[in-house]
Amino acid sequence: MTEIAVPGHVLQRVRLVPRPATVDVAAPVAPKSAMRGAPARAVIMAGGRGSRLRPHTLTTPKPLVPLDGQPIVEIILRQLRAFGITHATLCVGYLAAMIKDVLGDGGHLGMSLDYAVDAEPLGTAGPLAALPGWAEPVVVMNADVLTTLNFGDLYATHLHRSAVLTVAARVLEMPISQGVLAVSGDTVQGLWEKPRVELDVCAGVYVLSAEARAAIPASGRFDMTDLIQVLLDQGRPVVAHRFTDAWHDMGTPEGLEQARRSFAEHRSDYLPGRNGSR
C-alpha cells in the first residue's frame, strides 16, 4: 500500500492498493471486554430541508422519507436502541411538527425522545452548542444515513483512544484502469498497475466528548467539517474509525434509491435483534 498526499483538505491522504485488493481496516479499537456500555445519549441531526431530494421533500421532511414503508429516522432510532441508547435528541427545523407527530416521545421505540428546534439553519454541528445535560460522550448522526456500522465498535474506539471527536470513516475503493507512476522530478520511482484508490469518506456518524462543545460557536451555522478542522488546528485528538459495513448516503435521489433497494433486500441486517447483534 502506497500513500499519496492530497494537499488542502482535511482528508490528507489516499492510498493506492495494488490488485488484488485487500481492504485492511484494522484500527486500534479496544477489545470487547473493554467496552463500557453505550453512551447515555444520541443526537440526530434532522433539521435540513433536503433540497437535493426534491420533490420527495417538498411536503415531507427528509428524516421521514420512507424505506420499504419505514421512515429512515425510525430505522436509525431502532438501531441505536438495539445498541443500548435509550435517550435521543432530534435537532429539527424544516417541517419539525411532522417529525414530532410521527415519533412523539419515543415510547413506541422503547426510548425517550426530545427535540431541539432550530429557528434558523445551524448546520450539522451548530445545534450541539445549546444542548443541555451533555457530560458524557454522545453519538451524533445525520438523519439521512443508512448503515450497518457497528456502533459498539465505534464507541469503543472513541473510549480507547481518549478522543475528543471520533469520525466513522467508510472505506471506499475506486479502480483505476491505467498504470499509476510515482515520479520524483523526471525519475520514475515506482509503478502500480491498475491499482485501486482507497479513500476514507466521512460517513455522517460521530462520537463527541463533551469538551468538543467549547469549539462550537454559540450562534450561527457551523458544520461538522468546521468542527473537525478547528479541533485539528488546536491539536486535539480527532480519531477515524474505519469500517466497510454497508453504508448509503440518502441525500440524493440516486443514493435514496440505492438505500431503498438495499434495505428491502437486507432488512434484517439493518434492524438487528434486541441484543444488538447481527
Side-chain angles (χ1 to χ4, degrees):
M1 179 180 294
T2 299
E3 293 189 340
I4 55 177
V6 181
H9 298 274
V10 173
L11 174 63
Q12 292 295 320
R13 295 184 182 277
V14 297
R15 285 168 294 279
L16 292 179
V17 183
R19 298 189 183 207
T22 56
V23 181
D24 177 11
V25 294
V29 300
K32 299 297 181 182
S33 59
M35 290 176 58
R36 301 197 295 263
R41 187 183 195 178
V43 180
I44 311 297
M45 295 298 172
R49 301 185 66 88
S51 301
R52 294 180 299 164
L53 272 182
R54 291 177 181 171
H56 298 283
T57 53
L58 287 175
T59 58
T60 302
K62 184 165 57 172
L64 296 185
V65 171
L67 302 182
D68 200 25
Q70 190 165 357
I72 176 60
V73 69
E74 184 171 319
I75 295 169
I76 291 171
L77 289 170
R78 289 185 182 278
Q79 290 176 325
L80 294 172
R81 180 63 186 91
F83 165 46
I85 294 177
T86 57
H87 176 201
T89 298
L90 286 92
C91 297
V92 295
Y94 177 63
L95 298 177
M98 290 183 65
I99 298 174
K100 292 181 180 181
D101 287 344
V102 171
L103 297 177
D105 63 3
H108 65 294
L109 300 171
M111 302 183 75
S112 172
L113 301 183
D114 54 48
Y115 301 86
V117 181
D118 300 334
E120 61 182 56
L122 296 179
T124 53
L128 297 171
L131 288 185
W134 180 17
E136 299 296 327
V138 296
V139 172
V140 179
M141 185 171 179
N142 295 343
D144 59 357
V145 172
L146 178 70
T147 182
T148 58
L149 167 68
N150 188 308
F151 293 100
D153 288 349
L154 172 67
Y155 189 56
T157 296
H158 184 80
L159 297 180
H160 185 58
R161 294 293 305 277
S162 300
V164 172
L165 187 154
T166 297
V167 185
R170 176 60 160 85
V171 179
L172 296 182
E173 287 191 347
M174 296 182 295
I176 298 178
S177 58
Q178 292 81 29
V180 175
L181 297 171
V183 178
S184 177
D186 61 357
T187 301
V188 174
Q189 296 185 328
L191 169 68
W192 298 272
E193 180 63 23
K194 298 180 180 179
R196 295 172 183 259
V197 174
E198 186 181 286
L199 299 170
D200 297 323
V201 177
C202 185
V205 187
Y206 315 86
V207 180
L208 273 73
S209 292
E211 59 194 286
R213 183 161 53 180
I216 302 174
S219 61
R221 185 181 182 92
F222 197 72
D223 288 320
M224 275 294 183
T225 50
D226 301 317
L227 178 58
I228 291 171
Q229 190 61 64
V230 168
L231 292 174
L232 291 175
D233 291 343
Q234 293 176 350
R236 308 303 296 279
V238 177
V239 171
H241 175 83
R242 304 179 71 219
F243 72 102
T244 57
D245 305 84
W247 175 77
H248 300 277
D249 177 358
M250 294 173 44
T252 65
E254 296 80 12
L256 173 60
E257 290 309 310
Q258 290 174 4
R260 282 177 165 168
R261 288 195 300 268
S262 183
F263 184 73
E265 294 172 4
H266 307 285
R267 188 183 185 98
S268 62
D269 292 336
Y270 290 106
L271 291 175
R274 292 181 181 274
N275 62 0
S277 61
R278 291 193 292 271

